[in-house]
Amino acid sequence: MASVLRFRKLCLTTLRSYEPSEITLKDNKPKVDKKQEKSQVIGNKKVRWGCVNSCCWFIGCVCTTWWLLLFVYHCVPVNLGGLNGPEPPGVRLKNEGLTALHPVVLIPGIVTGGLELWEGRPCSQGLFRKRVWGGSFAEALKRPLCWLEHLSLDNETGLDPPGIRVRPIPGLVGADYFAPGYFVWAVLIENLAHIGYEGKNMYMASYDWRLSFQNTEIRDQTLSRLKANIELMYATNGNKKVVVLPHSMGVNFFLHFLKWVEAPPPMGGGGGPGWCAKYIKSIMNIGPAFLGIPKAVSTMLSAEGREVAFIRAMDPGLLDSEILGLKTLEHVMRISRTWDSIISLFPKGGEPIWGDLDSAPEDEHRCDFETKSYFQSTSRENNNSRNKVTRPQIEIKERTKYGRIISFGKTASEQHSSKLHKLAPMELMQAISNATCGEVWTEYSKINRNNIQILADNKAYTAESAIDLLRFVAPKLMQRAEAHLSHGIATDLDDPKYAHYKYWSNPLETKLPDAPDMEIYSLYGVGIPTERAYVYKLSPADRCNSIPFRIDSSAEGGCLRRGVYYVDGDESVPVISAGYMCAKGWRGKTRFNPSGSPTYIREYQHKAPGLLEGRGLESGGHVDIMGNVALIEDVLRVAAGASGEEIGGDRIYSDILKMSERVKIEL
């Protein structure tokens, strides 16, 4: 009843606001005609429908629509015929007789896990054990600088700053929803519950996603807790092996765990060489960033991505307003450069994986969003006999040079490498100075402004030289992070140096465990334009400590939109990163997979949701895929005991097999 009364009041208020009013003119002219709504003469002044009027009208329409939808949501019976959604896959599979069998471990990715405050500065009074990341983010609006201070880590150690303790929220509530109404794991958890899963056989391995993976063990003993919980669930569920479900960066975190758990102490967990074979049935990697993402480079270079480029295109001065003094991107860069985890997402494998100045595995990618025939592989045995499906792609006339992850200027992103100005890494070091200035520390204060042009004069950077670039513009970050992480390709995996934990999260610098029956899946969406390379320009702002580079949002053409080049992927992770290891790097017995653990690729073709479908039941988006019905069904069947072959083997829509063949790495 309260909803009805509120809606009635809203309607009356809205109708009254549109009642015609009589305007008496000074020169005794007749009343203004209704047709002259956008231009009235009052006295000798002409009043026009201005920007403020338009904004108020738009906001009013949005609010009215919102209240109308809220009214319908609260007043329409939930069992009204025709409005019920499809039956959840968990309910359907339960009716088919599917029941819980193997314990399940969920591992969230970067930023999707909640963080709470245990100790803070005086400005954080009243926030003890309250969410400072995830939830409503109300504190970010009430006390933004205090909030940013508590999310930052120590720039020297990569651990807690003095007097601040922010910790991951344990349990399923830590990552079921990122914000009210925005699910991450919630839909999958609910469907697992339908077939019998609960707290005793389902565990959320929360961890502080800001830290390097080894530091999660040093500070919180996260890896030890994960090991203990897997062993406990194995013992209390009839010695059934565990199915592990890592998402996004959680995939890299669990790769690190696989090496840590079998390595001897004090560096490792002491489980021995047979631990993984004993305790793990399957690893179902969801939206895996196995080989990193180009977005991590742009985040560290200028705190930008396609979203920021879009805002700049709409309102070029908003993020750089001197009047507002927000320094938004500087603050984002300040805190993100204290998070070592972002470095774990840097592109791995260098030019063999991501391409050189003139070629890349995605060279034949088409990108005009027109429908094109693609093929589907339904199992490993019938890769040569495929069923045609359709998917949106982008059509271009010239081959895009995707290997140039960073280009200064559109011309530099297109011309032949012989025409590019090249600068040796040692020459770049001359751009570093000892100048300091500004209120928001970004490390750009260490670079002589007169030499910023030197960095741009190199014109184009590949995956390898982009890391060199970041070593010079963010030396403190890279020095700290590279002590924990590596991004190369191992030449000899038996070299003793690869026993160090810095290599454990890179699949190209470590071996999988000796577990020939442990299945490894790569589950990811395709059919969504995904960031692959960027066109940059120098920032016009010359204030001290400002970010000197920015994405050139005016650059357009072909696969280039607002300064960003796109390829196929799930909106965050390109196909080459998500699929290469299971398509080729680990397929069969290779030097990266010496025991021949079986690998499977399951791709999910993105289908945009309808108006009333929320985030969609067939989405291939990086996070939205967690609600994809087909993915949920695959997960439930494997958790209930099915093998990769029994759920259909490989299912491929993209060009991942062709791309993988273009990658020349000794296997």
Side-chain angles (χ1 to χ4, degrees):
M1 180 59 69
S3 299
V4 176
L5 292 176
R6 284 197 298 268
F7 181 70
R8 181 169 174 262
K9 182 178 179 181
L10 176 66
C11 292
L12 291 174
T13 304
T14 305
L15 289 173
R16 286 172 183 169
S17 68
Y18 284 98
E19 289 178 1
S21 58
E22 295 185 359
I23 302 177
T24 305
L25 306 179
K26 290 183 180 179
D27 55 359
N28 296 323
K29 289 184 180 181
K31 297 177 184 178
V32 177
D33 190 86
K34 290 183 179 180
K35 295 181 180 179
Q36 297 176 338
E37 290 176 344
K38 295 188 178 180
S39 179
Q40 297 176 340
V41 178
I42 301 179
N44 296 323
K45 296 182 179 180
K46 194 173 184 180
V47 181
R48 294 186 179 277
W49 185 272
C51 179
V52 175
N53 304 80
S54 301
C55 290
C56 292
W57 177 84
F58 175 75
I59 293 171
C61 290
V62 170
C63 292
T64 303
T65 304
W66 171 255
W67 278 102
L68 178 60
L69 293 174
L70 192 65
F71 167 77
V72 172
Y73 175 78
H74 282 287
C75 297
V76 174
V78 295
N79 60 350
L80 187 64
L83 292 183
N84 288 333
E87 186 178 47
V91 174
R92 175 168 51 81
L93 294 176
K94 178 184 178 181
N95 293 335
E96 295 177 8
L98 214 66
T99 58
L101 181 62
H102 295 276
V104 170
V105 174
L106 314 175
I107 302 180
I110 192 170
V111 310
T112 55
L115 302 174
E116 61 186 12
L117 184 70
W118 280 82
E119 180 185 5
R121 303 281 164 78
C123 67
S124 66
Q125 185 176 1
L127 293 182
F128 176 68
R129 293 202 64 205
K130 298 285 182 65
R131 285 183 181 245
V132 293
W133 184 266
S136 65
F137 289 94
E139 296 306 322
L141 300 175
K142 293 179 183 177
R143 30 189 160 182
L145 294 181
C146 180
W147 178 73
L148 290 170
E149 181 182 12
H150 285 76
L151 282 177
S152 299
L153 294 170
D154 187 274
N155 192 50
E156 299 292 339
T157 65
L159 296 169
D160 295 320
I164 294 177
R165 281 187 294 152
V166 173
R167 297 292 181 265
I169 298 174
L172 298 177
V173 297
D176 54 353
Y177 287 91
F178 176 66
Y182 190 89
F183 72 83
V184 182
W185 290 92
V187 175
L188 184 55
I189 291 171
E190 182 180 357
N191 279 277
L192 284 164
H194 284 314
I195 65 170
Y197 282 92
E198 52 186 307
K200 67 181 181 182
N201 55 4
M202 180 166 49
Y203 170 67
M204 178 73 74
S206 301
Y207 63 100
D208 191 335
W209 44 262
R210 302 172 300 161
L211 303 177
S212 69
F213 303 141
Q214 192 70 9
N215 273 345
T216 64
E217 173 65 15
I218 292 172
R219 195 194 73 177
D220 301 334
Q221 293 75 55
T222 301
L223 303 177
S224 295
R225 295 172 190 273
L226 176 55
K227 175 177 180 283
N229 275 280
I230 289 177
E231 292 172 344
L232 176 64
M233 289 197 297
Y234 173 86
T236 57
N237 287 275
N239 292 342
K240 297 296 183 184
K241 294 182 181 181
V242 171
V243 173
V244 184
L245 304 175
H247 174 243
S248 188
M249 191 187 74
V251 169
N252 306 79
F253 174 84
F254 195 69
L255 276 177
H256 183 95
F257 173 83
L258 291 177
K259 294 298 291 185
W260 173 89
V261 74
E262 294 191 345
M267 190 180 296
W275 192 94
C276 294
K278 178 179 179 180
Y279 290 105
I280 300 177
K281 173 192 184 291
S282 304
I283 307 172
M284 305 192 75
N285 302 288
I286 303 174
F290 283 124
L291 301 177
I293 55 175
K295 186 187 293 188
V297 178
S298 66
T299 299
M300 289 294 97
L301 186 62
S302 61
E304 291 180 292
R306 65 182 178 88
E307 297 87 356
V308 174
F310 175 78
I311 294 173
R312 285 200 194 279
M314 296 298 102
D315 189 346
L318 178 63
L319 296 174
D320 309 298
S321 173
E322 293 281 359
I323 298 175
L324 295 176
L326 297 178
K327 298 183 179 179
T328 307
L329 297 183
E330 282 87 348
H331 283 298
V332 171
M333 177 170 288
R334 175 174 66 87
I335 64 169
S336 62
R337 282 193 175 182
T338 67
W339 297 346
D340 291 345
S341 58
I342 296 182
I343 307 301
S344 73
L345 294 174
F346 271 28
K348 301 177 180 68
E351 294 181 2
I353 294 290
W354 296 96
D356 55 27
L357 291 174
D358 289 316
S359 63
E362 298 98 333
D363 277 348
E364 295 182 9
H365 175 63
R366 299 172 177 266
C367 43
D368 70 330
F369 298 104
E370 292 181 1
T371 301
K372 169 191 170 182
S373 293
Y374 263 63
F375 299 95
Q376 174 183 5
S377 168
T378 55
S379 70
R380 180 173 298 148
E381 287 78 8
N382 65 353
N383 278 344
N384 294 324
S385 57
R386 302 180 175 184
N387 300 318
K388 285 189 177 181
V389 297
T390 59
R391 59 183 290 240
Q393 280 285 308
I394 310 175
E395 193 78 36
I396 58 172
K397 295 181 180 179
E398 282 187 24
R399 189 173 68 184
T400 303
K401 296 175 175 58
Y402 289 112
R404 305 175 188 187
I405 289 183
I406 301 293
S407 300
F408 282 92
K410 183 182 177 184
T411 300
S413 72
E414 296 173 338
Q415 63 187 175
H416 193 270
S417 59
S418 61
K419 299 180 180 179
L420 292 173
H421 175 68
K422 296 180 176 63
L423 200 64
M426 290 303 296
E427 294 179 79
L428 284 173
M429 294 186 68
Q430 298 174 1
I432 307 301
S433 73
N434 293 317
T436 57
C437 60
E439 298 177 356
V440 184
W441 174 86
T442 64
E443 284 197 276
Y444 280 119
S445 61
K446 302 290 184 181
I447 302 178
N448 189 320
R449 285 285 164 172
N450 294 328
N451 291 328
I452 286 290
Q453 187 68 47
I454 296 177
L455 302 176
D457 281 343
N458 201 27
K459 295 304 182 186
Y461 295 84
T462 64
E464 291 179 8
S465 56
I467 291 180
D468 290 332
L469 172 64
L470 288 166
R471 289 189 181 115
F472 301 126
V473 301
K476 191 170 289 188
L477 161 75
M478 297 300 289
Q479 182 180 4
R480 185 187 70 244
E482 289 189 305
H484 290 263
L485 300 156
S486 182
H487 304 89
I489 301 176
T491 53
D492 180 10
L493 287 169
D494 294 321
D495 189 323
K497 77 173 186 178
Y498 291 110
H500 192 274
Y501 62 76
K502 69 179 289 184
Y503 302 102
W504 291 350
S505 63
N506 182 356
L508 298 174
E509 292 184 303
T510 189
K511 298 178 184 178
L512 288 177
D514 184 8
D517 297 326
M518 182 181 71
E519 297 178 325
I520 302 176
Y521 296 80
S522 187
L523 316 174
Y524 56 90
V526 295
I528 307 179
T530 302
E531 294 169 61
R532 179 61 169 82
Y534 304 88
V535 174
Y536 268 79
K537 65 179 181 180
L538 292 178
S539 172
D542 58 357
R543 66 178 185 271
C544 187
N545 215 359
S546 64
I547 300 173
F549 311 118
R550 65 170 56 174
I551 293 176
D552 185 359
S553 57
S554 65
E556 296 274 348
C559 294
L560 181 63
R561 294 288 185 273
R562 299 190 182 96
V564 181
Y565 281 103
Y566 292 94
V567 292
D568 192 11
D570 69 358
E571 199 171 28
S572 292
V573 183
V575 165
I576 189 66
S577 178
Y580 172 77
M581 293 309 299
C582 284
K584 186 177 180 183
W586 289 331
R587 184 57 60 98
K589 286 190 176 183
T590 69
R591 66 190 184 104
F592 303 114
N593 182 16
S595 68
S597 298
T599 62
Y600 301 94
I601 292 178
R602 302 283 289 176
E603 294 183 342
Y604 303 89
Q605 179 62 53
H606 175 70
K607 180 181 178 182
L611 181 62
L612 301 178
E613 290 181 354
R615 289 160 63 192
L617 301 176
E618 299 178 71
S619 175
H622 187 63
V623 177
D624 293 355
I625 198 173
M626 305 286 274
N628 185 295
V629 171
L631 179 139
I632 293 173
E633 181 172 340
D634 286 346
V635 168
L636 266 57
R637 290 190 182 279
V638 171
S643 67
E645 295 295 342
E646 289 171 337
I647 66 170
D650 290 341
R651 180 177 59 202
I652 298 174
Y653 296 98
S654 72
D655 287 332
I656 183 58
L657 298 180
K658 292 181 180 179
M659 289 186 229
S660 298
E661 289 304 315
R662 298 189 194 107
V663 175
K664 304 303 179 184
I665 296 178
E666 181 185 352
L667 298 177

